[in-house]
């Protein structure tokens, strides 16, 4: 290799699935390539294909589907046509006609790394995914937003003259798994890591990761218009955020360690049908911070020649006790968008013994 190029690595893999039906027999190749330059820069890329087949679990009722003591399973919905919130009967419907899902993912990225004892590393990767016949599970909240696409899955009572919007209440929603025509998504991932090996007798490190979705387009049925699920969502991709990030830092030596972790969840745009119940077009952003203290307790409580080990950690999650943002259409009916432990600030103490 020339002096400016230190290594070339490649991977080629092919997975072949044999079945007694042509619908399930398939070949899925994967190719990856990585170039390491003397400057500390690395160029990497991949081309991956995959096939996902419906499992028996996707085509049958899971459990009894009943709430204890009632014989019927209910779910709370925000009905956009009536601008009301109420409970409806939810039924899990078998879909024996699910087809296999196929996907192609292409990636390209750069990595820059310098140092050994004091190390700096950053990477930027781009992901492009195309899917056909994507298998998704839709519950009451998704189907009420997509009623125009799946009118046979939302059953309404006959309307009366006094009904808002001239439509009756929803009585039953038939949830289940479906094949969507296509999906094309693109996202970027940026990471940053820094480690300093000699700080007050220990190691100091910082880390962060940012994910940005540039595109998430879906076609519900073939021939229908493509939906931008990030900027003008239909409700078929609940929980999709344009930005999200994790970050943190810590210090540790042989006997003691302290650190803090953080998470950021960007505001999420809502389908038009949810604007009235929400009183806004978005769910507010959310920040969370966690902290921990860990120690080698054996250093203080066990003899020096002991073969036993004892470690402890005290952790506080959501240390600022931040309240989750309001979300009127959250499936559980809690009225908030939970991004973690719904209890808010939590304390945990763990002890680990080795012998």
């Amino acid at each position: 290799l020339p002096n400016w190029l230190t290594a070339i690595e490649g991977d080629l893999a092919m997975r072949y699935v044999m079945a007694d039906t042509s619908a399930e027999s398939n070949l899925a190749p994967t190719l990856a390539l990585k170039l390491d330059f003397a400057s500390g820069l690395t160029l990497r890329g991949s081309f991956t294909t995959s096939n996902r087949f419906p499992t028996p679990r996707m085509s049958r009722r899971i459990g009894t589907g009943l709430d204890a003591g009632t014989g019927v399973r209910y779910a709370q919905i925000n009905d956009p046509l009536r601008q009301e919130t109420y409970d409806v009967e939810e039924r899990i419907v078998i879909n024996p006609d699910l087809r296999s899902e196929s996907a192609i993912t292409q990636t390209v990225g750069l990595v820059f790394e310098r140092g050994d004892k004091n190390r700096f590393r950053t990477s930027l990767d781009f992901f492009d995914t195309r899917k056909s016949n994507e298998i998704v599970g839709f519950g009451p909240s998704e189907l009420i937003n997509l009623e125009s696409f799946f009118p046979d899955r939302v059953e309404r009572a006959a309307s009366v003259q006094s009904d808002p919007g001239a439509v009756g209440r929803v009585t039953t929603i038939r949830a289940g798994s479906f094949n969507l025509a296509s999906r094309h998504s693109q996202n970027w991932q940026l990471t940053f890591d820094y480690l300093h090996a000699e700080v007050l007798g220990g190691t100091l490190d910082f880390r962060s990761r940012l994910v940005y979705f540039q595109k998430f387009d879906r076609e519900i049925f073939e021939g229908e218009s493509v939906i931008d699920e990030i900027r003008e969502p239909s409700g078929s991709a609940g929980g999709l955020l344009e930005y999200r990030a994790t970050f943190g830092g810590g210090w540790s030596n042989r006997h003691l360690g302290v650190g803090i972790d953080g998470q950021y969840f960007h505001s999420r745009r809502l389908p038009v049908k949810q604007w009235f119940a929400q009183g806004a077009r978005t769910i507010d952003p959310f920040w969370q911070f966690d902290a921990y203290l860990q120690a080698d307790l054996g250093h203080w409580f066990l003899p020096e020649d002991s073969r036993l080990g004892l470690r402890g950690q005290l952790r506080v999650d959501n240390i600022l006790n931040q309240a989750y943002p309001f979300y009127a259409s959250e499936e559980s009916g809690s009225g908030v968008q939970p991004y973690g432990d719904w209890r808010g600030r939590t304390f945990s103490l763990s002890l680990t013994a080795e012998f």
Side-chain angles (χ1 to χ4, degrees), residues 105-148:
T105 298
Q106 302 172 80
T107 73
V108 63
L110 292 171
V111 181
F112 180 72
E113 189 170 5
R114 275 294 180 89
D116 186 14
K117 180 178 289 187
N118 301 322
R119 184 171 65 90
F120 169 82
R121 183 182 186 277
T122 186
S123 67
L124 177 64
D125 292 281
F126 173 73
F127 300 81
D128 181 282
T129 299
R130 295 177 183 268
K131 287 188 176 185
S132 59
N133 292 328
E134 183 178 16
I135 301 174
V136 298
F138 286 156
S141 62
E142 290 86 9
L143 288 172
I144 198 66
N145 290 324
L146 301 172
E147 185 177 355
S148 60

Side-chain angles (χ1 to χ4, degrees), residues 77-331:
I77 64 167
N78 281 306
D79 189 340
L81 299 183
R82 296 178 58 89
Q83 298 181 354
E84 291 179 5
T85 300
Y86 53 91
D87 291 336
V88 300
E89 182 182 351
E90 178 188 0
R91 295 181 182 176
I92 309 298
V93 178
I94 296 172
N95 186 356
D97 298 323
L98 285 175
R99 301 182 300 279
S100 61
E101 169 191 303
S102 61
I104 296 176
T105 298
Q106 302 172 80
T107 73
V108 63
L110 292 171
V111 181
F112 180 72
E113 189 170 5
R114 275 294 180 89
D116 186 14
K117 180 178 289 187
N118 301 322
R119 184 171 65 90
F120 169 82
R121 183 182 186 277
T122 186
S123 67
L124 177 64
D125 292 281
F126 173 73
F127 300 81
D128 181 282
T129 299
R130 295 177 183 268
K131 287 188 176 185
S132 59
N133 292 328
E134 183 178 16
I135 301 174
V136 298
F138 286 156
S141 62
E142 290 86 9
L143 288 172
I144 198 66
N145 290 324
L146 301 172
E147 185 177 355
S148 60
F149 290 96
F150 301 96
D152 57 322
R153 295 299 184 116
V154 180
E155 184 177 310
R156 290 183 178 271
S159 63
V160 297
Q161 190 173 3
S162 59
D163 280 337
V167 295
R169 277 194 165 201
V170 176
T171 57
T172 305
I173 288 185
R174 295 176 172 84
S177 298
F178 303 85
N179 284 112
L180 303 189
S182 66
R183 189 247 277 189
H184 183 200
S185 62
Q186 294 178 335
N187 65 283
W188 298 81
Q189 181 170 290
L190 175 66
T191 66
F192 167 84
D193 295 275
Y194 175 73
L195 184 146
H196 198 295
E198 296 179 353
V199 177
L200 301 177
T203 299
L204 181 68
D205 71 277
F206 298 98
R207 59 200 174 274
S208 62
R209 181 170 68 100
L210 172 67
V211 177
Y212 163 62
F213 266 94
Q214 175 177 303
K215 173 186 287 190
F216 199 102
D217 293 344
R218 263 183 172 166
E219 188 181 19
I220 305 295
F221 295 124
E222 193 170 350
E224 298 278 356
S225 59
V226 175
I227 301 171
D228 183 347
E229 292 290 355
I230 297 177
R231 296 161 190 86
E232 297 179 3
S234 67
S236 72
L240 180 65
L241 299 178
E242 189 173 4
Y243 298 93
R244 67 173 62 205
T246 60
F247 48 90
W251 174 90
S252 64
N253 60 18
R254 292 178 56 193
H255 306 300
L256 191 66
V258 293
I260 187 168
D261 298 316
Q263 300 176 74
Y264 169 70
F265 301 91
H266 189 59
S267 60
R268 176 158 70 94
R269 295 178 177 88
L270 296 175
V272 175
K273 292 183 177 181
Q274 293 184 6
W275 291 358
F276 179 81
Q278 182 73 9
R281 299 186 177 188
T282 62
I283 298 175
D284 291 338
F286 179 73
W287 294 83
Q288 178 170 318
F289 295 91
D290 312 324
Y292 64 88
L293 170 66
Q294 59 190 28
D296 175 15
L297 302 180
H299 175 68
W300 289 287
F301 298 108
L302 297 176
E304 290 187 7
D305 58 349
S306 175
R307 295 187 176 183
L308 303 179
L310 186 64
R311 299 195 308 273
Q313 184 187 81
L314 172 65
R315 185 176 184 89
V316 184
D317 290 338
N318 197 359
I319 193 169
L320 300 179
N321 203 24
Q322 294 284 95
Y324 290 125
F326 173 69
Y327 180 32
S329 301
E330 206 282 322
E331 282 191 358

